[in-house]
Amino acid sequence: MIQRDVIIIGAGAAGLFCAAEAGKRGRSVEVLDHAKKVGRKILMSGGGRCNFTNMYAAPENFLSNNPHFCKSALSRYTQWDFISLVAEYGIAYHEKTLGQLFCDNSAADIVDMLLAECTKYSATITTQCEIFQVEKSTQGYLLSTSKGEYQCQSLVVATGGLSLPKLGATPFGYKLAEQFGLKVLPTRAGLVPFTLHDEDKQALADLSGIAVDVSAGCQNTHFREAMLFTHRGLSGPAILQISSYWQPGEEVEIDLQPAFSIGDNLLQAKKENPDSHISTCLAKHYPKRLVQVFMERNQWPNVPVKQLNEKQISEIDQHFSGWTIKPNGTEGYRTAEVTLGGVDTNELSSKTMMAKNVEGLFFIGEVVDVTGWLGGYNFQWAWSSAWAAAQAV
Ligand code: FDA
């Protein structure tokens, strides 16, 4: 029987950071993971450069059934704390856009840093370890695994969400929560591309590969970023962001002219260049393929702008500012960056991440019903929630 003060299940972002921070407090810590390699999602995050935090991270950037839950952890271990750690290790980084911080070289720098911190504070890691059973006794928690029996006082569940099953994602954390009587809120894929109904898919097929600046919205939330047409549907940051707010059956509103007005430009062209054609005017703002597809779909004749009356101009303008599309669904966990829902925050202490009714059982990271926007927020939640638990285990 291997005895530790703390056992952490899951050697991802939250698990590794929690291990190091608990080790720093003098606790004996072991991390168990069923995968061969640790931190696989970190390694492939941010296109291999890991968007490890966001300078503007705040509770408003997170979705949860209880939007207040994340406040305590985020304020006690902030993005600036993690940035200091990254700087301490001499890891070069840069802001890409909107406060998003990426490694200059490789996401492996972050994994190496977490492993170095674990080594420094004597936290050990066992990979390829299947966990068969978890039981609670008067001595604490007993785990029977493919690498033997473990016993600990504090058990931290950091098994992440369901996205990218090929990287080792499992519902283990949710099942364990249920085993101990904790409520788990329904899960769904977030930060995920939309798929389209056949008719829209065919009509927009020629646009695959085109990116446009948009403001995409639903549920009174809007994101102003790029949208990408793909051969399956719609993607790009604006779409990934809004996908977390979208419910099946709903329409998504897409403003294709967030920074200018096609209506004003057509009116101006009517005065200054009345013989120019509509397509020429539109092509000043959009790729030609998009103009062609939109004109065909809406059966706008390509006449000189002088032939347009104000009503027609307003209709064209309205079309670009209020384009609506009803997605068929999403690409699901296969490509989603995160999982919405999970262990109900009402079951946990926001200060320590410990289950309110199960002494010594902690949940951190993505397995909890706290999901960040795209842009480094999800890793910040992993660091902040891990740190909060590490102070209490
Ligand atoms: P994480 O998924 O990192 O770790 C869970 C660990 O538990 C894994 O090591 C897994 O093997 C292990 N595990 C699961 N089941 C187990 C079981 N039954 N037994 C033992 N071990 C088990 N976020 C961000 O802020 N910036 C970014 O740039 C990106 N980029 C990005 C790209 C892609 C492609 C994806 C899929 C996701 C992102 N994310 C992101 C999201 C981010 O990766 C995610 O929110 C964090 O990794 C969550 O950290 P956790 O530690 O909670 O889970």
Side-chain angles (χ1 to χ4, degrees):
M1 173 85 74
I2 301 163
Q3 299 216 342
R4 298 280 183 266
D5 295 332
V6 183
I7 289 195
I8 299 172
I9 308 177
L16 291 174
F17 190 57
C18 185
E21 290 295 318
K24 200 186 261 184
R25 288 184 48 241
R27 311 292 280 151
S28 65
V29 184
E30 177 100 22
V31 189
L32 308 177
D33 200 297
H34 69 156
K36 242 188 198 169
K37 242 175 139 176
V38 304
R40 286 184 74 189
K41 270 193 196 163
I42 304 175
L43 291 172
M44 73 174 301
S45 67
R49 291 225 158 88
C50 187
N51 177 195
F52 56 82
T53 192
N54 192 297
M55 292 199 290
Y56 308 122
E60 298 73 56
N61 308 118
F62 294 83
L63 293 90
S64 171
N65 205 32
N66 175 2
H68 303 292
F69 181 82
C70 62
K71 288 181 179 171
S72 169
L74 289 172
S75 68
R76 286 163 65 226
Y77 189 86
T78 70
Q79 57 271 42
W80 304 109
D81 294 317
F82 195 77
I83 293 166
S84 299
L85 181 65
V86 168
E88 212 180 282
Y89 273 78
I91 297 173
Y93 65 89
H94 60 278
E95 180 191 358
K96 198 168 170 190
T97 172
L98 303 170
Q100 302 168 5
L101 300 186
F102 285 74
C103 297
D104 284 358
N105 300 315
S106 161
D109 289 348
I110 298 293
V111 176
D112 292 346
M113 176 188 83
L114 294 171
L115 292 177
E117 285 282 285
C118 284
T119 307
K120 186 168 161 192
Y121 298 111
S122 309
T124 49
I125 301 164
T126 301
T127 54
Q128 294 181 285
C129 177
E130 292 293 331
I131 291 125
F132 302 133
Q133 211 183 344
V134 178
E135 282 174 273
K136 190 173 187 310
S137 73
T138 44
Q139 279 87 42
Y141 292 86
L142 290 173
L143 281 76
S144 69
T145 80
S146 58
K147 298 275 168 93
E149 307 258 294
Y150 288 84
Q151 191 179 49
C152 60
Q153 287 166 2
S154 299
L155 180 64
V156 183
V157 183
T159 45
L162 297 170
S163 56
L164 296 210
K166 65 173 191 235
L167 286 193
T170 71
F172 181 92
Y174 308 127
K175 289 192 174 148
L176 195 80
E178 283 169 347
Q179 180 191 329
F180 285 96
L182 275 67
K183 190 173 166 196
V184 176
L185 297 174
T187 55
R188 64 192 167 89
L191 301 181
V192 62
F194 285 135
T195 55
L196 298 178
H197 291 284
D198 282 346
E199 197 193 324
D200 288 326
K201 201 161 104 180
Q202 275 162 24
L204 301 174
D206 284 348
L207 302 184
S208 177
I210 287 180
V212 265
D213 179 26
V214 303
S215 169
C218 70
Q219 304 267 358
N220 295 322
T221 304
H222 292 85
F223 290 96
R224 165 91 194 275
E225 281 189 72
M227 173 180 82
L228 176 71
F229 291 92
T230 71
H231 61 283
R232 287 198 205 92
L234 298 175
S235 187
I239 294 299
L240 299 185
Q241 297 279 33
I242 207 64
S243 73
S244 294
Y245 289 82
W246 178 80
Q247 296 291 343
E250 274 182 358
E251 281 187 337
V252 178
E253 296 155 21
I254 297 168
D255 181 355
L256 290 148
Q257 48 172 359
F260 55 88
S261 158
I262 282 292
D264 288 352
N265 290 344
L266 287 171
L267 285 172
Q268 198 183 352
K270 215 177 143 175
K271 274 191 216 140
E272 294 169 6
N273 209 352
D275 290 320
S276 62
H277 286 76
I278 305 179
S279 63
T280 315
C281 264
L282 297 180
K284 284 187 187 145
H285 296 283
Y286 303 109
K288 280 196 180 122
R289 261 191 294 156
L290 188 141
V291 171
Q292 205 181 341
V293 166
F294 270 56
M295 290 196 62
E296 276 167 19
R297 266 195 116 188
N298 295 292
Q299 296 175 337
W300 296 328
N302 193 16
V303 291
V305 285
K306 68 183 175 197
Q307 292 183 26
L308 293 173
N309 60 34
E310 282 199 12
K311 188 167 169 266
Q312 288 165 318
I313 289 180
S314 159
E315 272 168 20
I316 295 175
D317 183 79
Q318 173 57 32
H319 193 81
F320 281 98
S321 61
W323 189 52
T324 55
I325 192 123
K326 197 186 253 187
N328 184 20
T330 71
E331 289 186 7
Y333 294 120
R334 191 179 58 80
T335 60
E337 281 202 13
V338 285
T339 302
L340 291 144
V343 177
D344 190 346
T345 55
N346 285 328
E347 303 278 8
L348 308 175
S349 151
S350 61
K351 192 166 177 224
T352 63
M353 303 292 136
M354 191 174 84
K356 286 175 185 166
N357 298 320
V358 191
E359 182 67 28
L361 181 64
F362 298 74
F363 290 84
I364 58 172
E366 200 180 318
V367 73
V368 178
D369 170 36
V370 173
T371 307
W373 289 1
L374 183 80
Y377 301 98
N378 285 294
F379 279 135
Q380 187 55 45
W381 172 246
W383 318 134
S384 296
S385 58
W387 186 90
Q391 310 315 303
V393 288

